[in-house]
Amino acid sequence: MTEQELLKLKNGTDIRGTAIEGVTDDPVTLTDEAVLSIAKAFCVWAANKLGKLPTVAIGHDSRLSAERIAALVTAGVTSCGGNAILTGLSSTPSMYMLLKDGFGADASVMITASHLPYQKNGLKFFLPSGGLESGDVSDILQLAARGEFPAGKGGTEKRGYLKRYAENLVEKVRESCGKETPLQGKKILVDAGNGAGGFFAELVLKPLGADTEGSQFLDPDGTFPNHIPNPENAAAMQSVCAAVKKHGADFGIIFDTDVDRAGAVSPAGEEINRNRLIALISAILLEETPNAYIVTDSVTSDGLTEFINARGGIHHRYKRGYKNVINESKRLNAEGKYSPLAIETSGHAALKENYFLDDGAYLVTRLLIALAKCAESGKDLLDLIKDLPEPKEAAEVRLNFKAGCDFKTLGARVLEELKQKVLAEKELSVAPVNYEGVRINFGKNAGNGWALVRMSLHEPIMPVNAESNETGGNEKILARLHALLKGYDFLDAERLIK
């Protein structure tokens, strides 16, 4: 394959492509040839970084194409002289933690496409220093295109790690709570969406004493027959919320396919997601260490800022993309500004205490510790966020660019012109601190809220997020934005008023 073809498989810091044929207008791009050459290139790249031929752990989620791709990655690594350890069904966080836990691997590959449809798949790469950066993935794809690989014959073995990973989480809760079964008497329900997260009910919650009756879709099934494994998906959240109410659970948990993201549900069957999830983990961390920087993505609410500031923290909004917020939090720490958390509204959360690993199971484990401690003192976990100011309305509208246009150049132009237009508008102002797109404040007579207009990280889409503190306010905000954006024939601004 050519370098250009291979680079099209890059998705931020991951590889993503179509792995199963048969879906209309979605041809296979993650071919045998592509996977084999990428695996060889990763082995060579890792050997250069580590100074030796690596032993590479290879794991996967529940996707239908997982076994085929795992076999190809194994063949690629061993044909270059590296050794392979096949860990079978795994979570993305576990594939990094095994590099820190004396497992015997020098590098790892996770085969997953997160919450994308069943025909998709991809690769995530780790070294002991962490997940790869965007430039590292580009280097690997360029090596793959050159096709210059050493000949070798490495060994292969099968050895799982997920059970040990779960045991470490159990020990974390026991140590923090000072009890063997701190969740005794609690009914806690897991929805794994038929992804890789089903282990959490059996291997984490039950040993801690929890009743897991009502947990659903724990069995791995790459067709995802019940709902998309995605805490941001409305149908998925409705399903787990209904299950919590039906079974009278004290707490609900939902994971995405590879368990690097999570969401939660209150006993009343209400979502603890997006701003509420960020507020909850922020409250826990700020109680331990006040005056800390909480790094979030750009679409968090003004109410969350107020909430964090009231607890002595500093809310630091940054660009969307989980690696972006993680790297920003690391940068702040390097400057001496303590930042324990980097988190996106999507449920991606990385804690400093956990190697800044994007780990949904660890996030939930931290919430369970707080749940147990609150119960012991006669409190409710949600008391921690009872004063979170929440908007009356919130919406996201995704504006499409005309097919085939240079959407990145045109999008940058639209954002710059929008900023200038806002300066001339009454009751509108550009937020003074913003790292992505154009964040606009709308006065009381113009919608009483805010909107963020930005570019998607990878797609020809301009997402618009809006929040209002009054009923009917979003309609005013989006109508005002439509008036400012309707003159571009390459952008479907009409979606703002439909």
Side-chain angles (χ1 to χ4, degrees):
M1 295 180 70
T2 67
E3 182 176 316
Q4 185 177 14
E5 289 171 328
L6 285 165
L7 285 171
K8 285 181 179 178
L9 297 172
K10 181 184 172 186
N11 184 72
T13 56
D14 304 344
I15 300 295
R16 295 274 177 90
T18 301
I20 293 177
E21 61 184 9
V23 177
T24 305
D25 297 325
D26 194 9
V28 171
T29 54
L30 208 59
T31 62
D32 288 6
E33 178 191 358
V35 175
L36 193 61
S37 61
I38 292 169
K40 290 178 180 179
F42 177 63
C43 184
V44 171
W45 181 89
N48 290 334
K49 291 286 183 180
L50 299 168
K52 64 175 182 178
L53 281 169
T55 294
V56 181
I58 302 164
H60 58 79
D61 64 20
S62 60
R63 290 179 176 276
L64 298 176
S65 55
E67 296 288 350
R68 173 180 73 86
I69 294 176
L72 289 164
V73 174
T74 302
V77 168
T78 55
S79 71
C80 291
N83 296 313
I85 304 175
L86 297 173
T87 63
L89 186 71
S90 304
S91 72
T92 292
S94 74
M95 293 305 294
Y96 173 70
M97 288 306 298
L98 62 78
L99 299 178
K100 295 290 188 181
D101 200 19
F103 186 71
D106 306 302
S108 63
V109 179
M110 175 66 180
I111 299 164
T112 182
S114 188
H115 62 280
L116 294 183
Y118 80 93
Q119 75 270 20
K120 303 291 186 179
N121 217 326
L123 307 170
K124 293 185 177 183
F125 307 100
F126 295 100
L127 292 181
S129 56
L132 271 56
E133 299 292 337
S134 176
D136 298 328
V137 176
S138 295
D139 291 343
I140 289 167
L141 292 172
Q142 287 162 357
L143 274 173
R146 287 200 290 273
E148 299 168 359
F149 307 118
K153 191 175 181 181
T156 303
E157 64 171 303
K158 292 183 179 180
R159 180 156 47 97
Y161 176 73
L162 202 53
K163 183 179 179 182
R164 184 162 150 186
Y165 168 81
E167 289 170 351
N168 291 340
L169 295 178
V170 170
E171 189 58 32
K172 169 74 177 176
V173 179
R174 286 173 174 165
E175 284 183 2
S176 298
C177 297
K179 288 184 176 181
E180 188 76 6
T181 55
L183 298 179
Q184 192 77 41
K186 292 291 183 186
K187 180 177 282 190
I188 301 176
L189 180 155
V190 175
D191 184 327
N194 301 110
F199 76 92
F200 200 86
E202 190 70 29
L203 300 181
V204 178
L205 293 177
K206 285 187 177 179
L208 292 169
D211 175 358
T212 61
E213 180 193 0
S215 291
Q216 59 186 19
F217 317 138
L218 304 183
D219 295 331
D221 184 341
T223 64
F224 308 130
N226 296 291
H227 61 67
I228 297 170
N230 181 5
E232 281 199 297
N233 179 266
M237 284 305 302
Q238 287 167 8
S239 179
V240 67
C241 287
V244 167
K245 291 176 72 174
K246 176 182 176 181
H247 294 279
D250 298 292
F251 195 63
I253 300 162
I254 181 170
F255 293 117
D256 74 342
T257 319
D258 61 327
V259 202
D260 63 355
R261 289 191 296 131
V265 181
S266 76
E270 297 175 344
E271 293 183 27
I272 307 173
N273 221 351
R274 299 179 67 82
N275 289 294
R276 302 185 87 205
L277 181 64
I278 298 171
L280 185 56
I281 186 61
S282 296
I284 292 166
L285 295 171
L286 289 170
E287 193 171 90
E288 297 169 358
T289 312
N291 305 316
Y293 284 76
I294 304 298
V295 179
T296 74
D297 61 5
S298 59
V299 298
T300 46
S301 70
D302 292 339
L304 179 65
T305 302
E306 184 180 329
F307 177 87
I308 290 171
N309 292 349
R311 280 157 178 74
I314 302 101
H315 183 196
H316 185 84
R317 287 194 189 99
Y318 199 60
K319 302 173 186 175
R320 291 206 81 177
Y322 70 93
K323 285 294 283 186
N324 288 331
V325 293
I326 289 171
N327 288 341
E328 181 67 1
S329 192
K330 287 180 176 178
R331 184 189 69 79
L332 290 171
N333 280 294
E335 290 181 356
K337 299 173 180 176
Y338 181 68
S339 177
L341 176 67
I343 184 167
E344 282 198 298
T345 48
S346 64
H348 280 289
L351 279 76
K352 184 177 187 293
E353 67 191 47
N354 191 44
Y355 304 103
F356 272 120
L357 176 62
D358 199 35
D359 188 343
Y362 189 86
L363 172 66
V364 167
T365 297
R366 265 311 215 128
L367 299 183
L368 293 175
I369 292 168
L371 177 69
K373 288 182 175 179
C374 284
E376 194 172 64
S377 59
K379 298 178 181 177
D380 189 293
L381 179 65
L382 292 188
D383 287 345
L384 294 175
I385 58 170
K386 63 184 179 182
D387 58 333
L388 172 67
E390 299 198 59
K392 284 284 196 303
E393 296 179 337
E396 180 176 272
V397 182
R398 296 162 70 83
L399 311 183
N400 296 313
F401 283 83
K402 187 176 180 180
C405 74
D406 181 3
F407 66 91
K408 291 184 178 181
T409 301
L410 293 171
R413 175 188 137 199
V414 169
L415 293 176
E416 184 55 39
E417 292 178 356
L418 176 62
K419 190 184 300 183
Q420 298 307 314
K421 289 177 182 178
V422 168
L423 296 176
E425 292 285 318
K426 291 182 179 180
E427 292 253 9
L428 272 59
S429 62
V430 176
V433 179
N434 187 55
Y435 291 92
E436 181 176 30
V438 182
R439 191 180 181 100
I440 306 166
N441 295 319
F442 289 75
K444 287 189 176 181
N445 296 318
N448 193 16
W450 60 270
L452 177 70
V453 185
R454 60 186 175 85
M455 286 297 297
S456 169
L457 294 176
H458 309 295
E459 300 175 279
I461 290 170
M462 181 171 281
V464 176
N465 293 84
E467 287 188 2
S468 175
N469 297 313
E470 63 182 45
T471 301
N474 264 1
E475 186 176 352
K476 295 178 185 177
I477 289 171
L478 296 178
R480 195 78 175 265
L481 280 175
H482 173 261
L484 296 171
L485 294 173
K486 66 180 180 180
Y488 301 102
D489 60 4
F490 51 80
L491 185 67
D492 183 15
E494 297 307 303
R495 293 177 65 88
L496 290 166
I497 56 173
K498 285 179 182 176

